[in-house]
Amino acid sequence: MLSPPGNLFDSDSRSAGQTLGKEDFAVLVDSPHVKVERIVSNGDASPPGFWYDQPWAEWVAVLAGSAGLAFENEPEVMVLRVGDHILIPPRKRHRVEWTDKRCATIWLAVHYPGPSQSLPI
Amino acid sequence: MLSPPGNLFDSDSRSAGQTLGKEDFAVLVDSPHVKVERIVSNGDASPPGFWYDQPWAEWVAVLAGSAGLAFENEPEVMVLRVGDHILIPPRKRHRVEWTDKRCATIWLAVHYPGPSQSLPI
């Protein structure tokens, strides 16, 4: 039996009232081989000094809003706007410098094992 | 070194002139564990009598336009509009009944092994 479609822009699971500083995570696919997540940010940024340091690869796209991603040893913050997508290799340390304060920023992230990794992620 | 971002709505790799009946496929992630594809349809449908019958699972979202998906043994065509996403289990036979004739339909598809499958897909 098929499940009915969900919607990536649905506000049902977003943080009530689009409160600044509240991120909303929804796992859309959860398998040993891949995780697909929708993340809704409302002006959120990573805490000062915090870096994501993931052993797996992540492909991420911005579907609404905009964001600035910083990468270790890269001098410039990468600005991502609607439709932009990027591949973050395993162990590439990165942080969210900023997300749009005027509207929700909706991310779609696909996490999967890098070439030399074992499952599950 | 990081690659610069691509854009899901970029028309560079679309079929020139949005010709009806021409689909455009771009592989965004190609790993043993997962494939992420962008597909641009311009009024395309599956050929009469054709069914996709995939041994792997597919999560698919519509990012622009609209489409009708038919599933074997399901009486109604499922209409997908912008943001709608659905999980198609392995071996669930399905076909594209129609896509929007007024604009490009942009799909994002994530292919990954089902629970009892071996890699690679």
Side-chain angles (χ1 to χ4, degrees), chain B residues 14-109:
Chain B
R14 284 191 211 167
S15 312
Q18 305 294 317
T19 316
L20 282 179
K22 279 278 186 189
E23 283 196 315
D24 181 274
F25 289 78
V27 177
L28 308 178
V29 171
D30 189 7
S31 91
H33 313 290
V34 59
K35 280 193 176 63
V36 179
E37 263 185 339
R38 185 191 78 154
I39 304 152
V40 182
S41 311
N42 293 291
D44 308 289
S46 302
F50 173 86
W51 292 91
Y52 289 97
D53 185 6
Q54 303 171 158
W56 56 80
E58 178 177 357
W59 177 89
V60 67
V62 168
L63 301 182
S66 58
L69 277 187
F71 295 91
E72 198 175 44
N73 302 324
E74 305 273 346
E76 299 204 357
V77 170
M78 179 183 286
V79 177
L80 298 177
R81 298 192 177 84
V82 172
D84 284 344
H85 60 88
I86 186 166
L87 183 57
I88 304 174
R91 297 289 179 209
K92 183 69 181 175
R93 282 157 60 95
H94 60 285
R95 47 181 276 111
V96 179
E97 281 294 319
W98 55 266
T99 57
D100 212 310
K101 287 192 164 55
R102 299 161 305 174
C103 62
T105 295
I106 301 181
W107 308 82
L108 188 71

Side-chain angles (χ1 to χ4, degrees), chain A residues 2-3 5-9 28-29 31 33-34 59 61 71 78 80 82-87 89 92 108 112-113 119, chain B residues 2-3 5-9 28-29 31 33-34 59 61 71 78 80 82-87 89 92 108 112-113 119:
Chain A
L2 277 171
S3 301
N7 193 285
L8 295 167
F9 301 104
L28 307 179
V29 171
S31 90
H33 313 290
V34 59
W59 177 89
F71 295 91
M78 180 183 286
L80 298 176
V82 171
D84 283 344
H85 59 90
I86 187 166
L87 184 58
K92 182 72 182 173
L108 188 70
Y112 61 98
L119 298 170
Chain B
L2 275 172
S3 300
N7 193 285
L8 295 167
F9 301 105
L28 308 178
V29 171
S31 91
H33 313 290
V34 59
W59 177 89
F71 295 91
M78 179 183 286
L80 298 177
V82 172
D84 284 344
H85 60 88
I86 186 166
L87 183 57
K92 183 69 181 175
L108 188 71
Y112 61 98
L119 297 171

Side-chain angles (χ1 to χ4, degrees), chain A residues 39-90:
Chain A
I39 304 152
V40 182
S41 310
N42 293 292
D44 309 288
S46 303
F50 173 85
W51 294 91
Y52 289 98
D53 185 6
Q54 304 171 156
W56 57 82
E58 178 178 358
W59 177 89
V60 67
V62 167
L63 302 182
S66 58
L69 277 188
F71 295 91
E72 198 175 43
N73 301 325
E74 306 272 347
E76 299 203 357
V77 170
M78 180 183 286
V79 177
L80 298 176
R81 299 193 176 84
V82 171
D84 283 344
H85 59 90
I86 187 166
L87 184 58
I88 304 174

